[in-house]
Amino acid sequence: MRSARQFFKPLAIGAPAPLLDIPFRPSRMIHFFDPSNPKMAAKVPSLAKRCDILLGNLEDAVASDRKVAAREGFIDVARSTDFGSCQLWTRVNSLDSPWLLDDISHIVAAVGDRLDVIMIPKVEGPWDIHFVDRLLALLEAKHNVTKPILVHAILETALGVANVEAICAASPRMQGLSLGPADLAASRRMKTTRVGGGHPSYLVRADPDPAAPQAHRPSAQQDLWHYTLARMVDACVAHGILPFYGPFGDIRDTVACEDQFRNAFLLGCVGAWSLHPVQIELARKVFSPPIDEVLWAKRVIDAMGDGTGAVMLDGKMQDDATVKQCRVVVGLARMLAETDEALSAAYGFDAPPQVSPRDDAGVSAADPPVAAEGP
Ligand code: GLV
Ligand code: MG
């Protein structure tokens, strides 16, 4: 294990110093685009105005004969687009693939200064992050990249889940994790062919009625992903990094997608992947705190004064712990409202934006919105 003193020193001479805290900017959706598809690439400038994060995908869903075109297309888009407050990420090919080395080295050389985060698929343990960490430091030094490129890992193998805490702790570059339900299902030999969401056969059934044992017994579908998602959220928060739900593959089923996103939001995720423009709006809605919750949370914060003691509000007990819950909600709302006038008005915030959207010195993942909060 590296000593605490070494942990925040650059891994290559001339590389930028690692960040002490992971910046937390609006991250409600990571919208995927295929940079090998010129039609999709042409839509990036307008998507950048609607998305918190745009990700050029080089990995799965890009055919092997399109890998080089995707990498080059991503570099073109990164060079030619004004992303404004939208973050720019890429998902590179897996660490054992023939494309990974060129993906990382060409992209950092060409657009390392424009890139916020590199997403690494199929991460199995801290050794995978250590490899990427050193490689990025060498490339940053070589190409005079001044801001450290952060790393996001997809949790999508059984071994990765077993090592989730060690992955989060592996490097100060670790920005967050996404759940990858498709690869994870395959790795675990789960018997579902869906990408995320529930399964009608994964259920709990009511006991039989002794007086009518043949009568219909209601059942309720359960969440296949609850255990992994909850484990991922704890690991991320414990290490000051950000948890995301991943893809929901049934694009037409916007109802179930919204439910899956909301479960993730309620459990602590900051955002989810969007695979189609329709999912951008779903994620924006779900991962922005509901207006009535924000208004209620503001009332609790006001009523609690210095945040200690207990008060009753509409028959509900409030104390030091509930005021912290409310600060999480209001803090997130306030951060999102800084770049969204409609949300700001809906939440009843009258203060003008104080922080520029690209100001990385703002809220960090170690103290997500709570620290930025003010009633
Ligand atoms: C995403 O990459 C997944 O495998 O679900
Ligand atoms: Mg995958």
Side-chain angles (χ1 to χ4, degrees):
M1 202 168 81
R2 280 159 74 203
S3 84
R5 283 185 213 293
Q6 292 299 319
F7 203 65
F8 287 96
K9 297 208 172 125
L11 284 176
I13 299 164
L19 300 179
L20 277 178
D21 284 315
I22 295 302
F24 181 43
R25 290 156 47 191
S27 302
R28 292 165 290 188
M29 73 299 290
I30 307 171
H31 184 70
F32 275 52
F33 69 94
D34 175 355
S36 78
N37 178 335
K39 267 199 196 151
M40 273 198 204
K43 292 188 182 143
V44 166
S46 69
L47 286 169
K49 298 191 175 75
R50 295 166 57 196
C51 292
D52 295 339
I53 300 167
L54 268 172
L55 177 146
N57 177 35
L58 313 185
E59 200 224 9
D60 293 356
V62 175
S64 55
D65 61 352
R66 305 292 303 155
K67 295 290 188 188
V68 174
R71 184 193 303 143
E72 286 169 358
F74 177 75
I75 290 172
D76 284 349
V77 166
R79 277 200 177 121
S80 60
T81 308
D82 175 4
F83 285 90
S85 61
C86 175
Q87 300 175 49
L88 176 63
W89 295 21
T90 183
R91 177 172 77 167
V92 291
N93 287 287
S94 62
L95 297 174
D96 57 357
S97 74
W99 304 288
L100 181 273
L101 199 56
D102 286 347
D103 286 349
I104 296 194
S105 53
H106 289 200
I107 287 173
V108 177
V111 291
D113 264 326
R114 314 208 67 174
L115 191 64
D116 293 294
V117 173
I118 293 192
M119 181 185 274
I120 309 287
K122 302 174 180 68
V123 170
E124 306 230 275
W127 55 88
D128 287 337
I129 302 300
H130 295 158
F131 166 75
V132 174
D133 200 6
R134 180 79 71 173
L135 180 61
L136 281 174
L138 289 165
L139 292 167
E140 286 167 344
K142 179 169 178 187
H143 301 292
N144 300 315
V145 176
T146 52
K147 198 176 74 162
I149 297 166
L150 301 179
V151 168
H152 183 102
I154 313 180
L155 201 58
E156 54 182 350
T157 68
L159 186 56
V161 176
N163 288 321
V164 64
E165 280 88 5
I167 292 170
C168 293
S171 160
R173 282 185 203 276
M174 280 302 298
Q175 179 271 354
L177 294 182
S178 286
L179 176 74
D183 270 302
L184 184 53
S187 163
R188 283 178 172 158
R189 302 195 190 99
M190 292 166 71
K191 307 303 181 293
T192 168
T193 53
R194 300 172 174 209
V195 177
H199 192 288
S201 302
Y202 192 75
L203 50 80
V204 172
R205 190 175 301 279
D207 285 356
D209 177 352
Q214 301 309 322
H216 171 71
R217 293 160 55 189
S219 65
Q221 223 172 290
Q222 307 293 303
D223 183 354
L224 277 171
W225 304 108
H226 177 79
Y227 151 76
T228 317
L229 205 56
R231 190 163 171 195
M232 184 184 83
V233 170
D234 281 345
C236 285
V237 177
H239 291 91
I241 70 174
L242 300 167
F244 292 72
Y245 176 73
F248 189 91
D250 189 343
I251 307 296
R252 282 175 307 179
D253 193 351
T254 51
V255 174
C257 178
E258 184 170 333
D259 289 340
Q260 178 80 70
F261 284 7
R262 187 163 290 106
N263 288 349
F265 172 70
L266 288 168
L267 268 184
C269 289
V270 298
W273 297 9
S274 147
L275 305 181
H276 183 278
V278 75
Q279 295 183 342
I280 296 175
E281 296 317 318
L282 285 183
R284 175 183 306 282
K285 176 169 114 184
V286 171
F287 289 97
S288 304
I291 292 161
D292 55 347
E293 282 275 39
V294 175
L295 300 181
W296 163 257
K298 284 165 69 181
R299 276 184 66 203
V300 173
I301 292 168
D302 283 346
M304 279 296 295
D306 74 352
T308 64
V311 297
M312 293 297 285
L313 211 56
D314 297 355
K316 298 184 182 80
M317 188 279 298
Q318 308 301 326
D319 68 359
D320 310 45
T322 65
V323 81
K324 287 183 200 154
Q325 293 175 271
C326 292
R327 284 181 184 146
V328 169
V329 171
V330 177
L332 176 59
R334 199 173 273 287
M335 191 264 274
L336 297 174
E338 278 169 4
T339 51
D340 186 329
E341 273 177 38
L343 261 188
S344 180
Y347 291 147
F349 296 140
D350 31 49
Q354 310 242 317
V355 181
S356 109
R358 294 208 63 102
D359 180 357
D360 287 347
V363 187
S364 87
D367 52 3
V370 183
E373 200 284 312

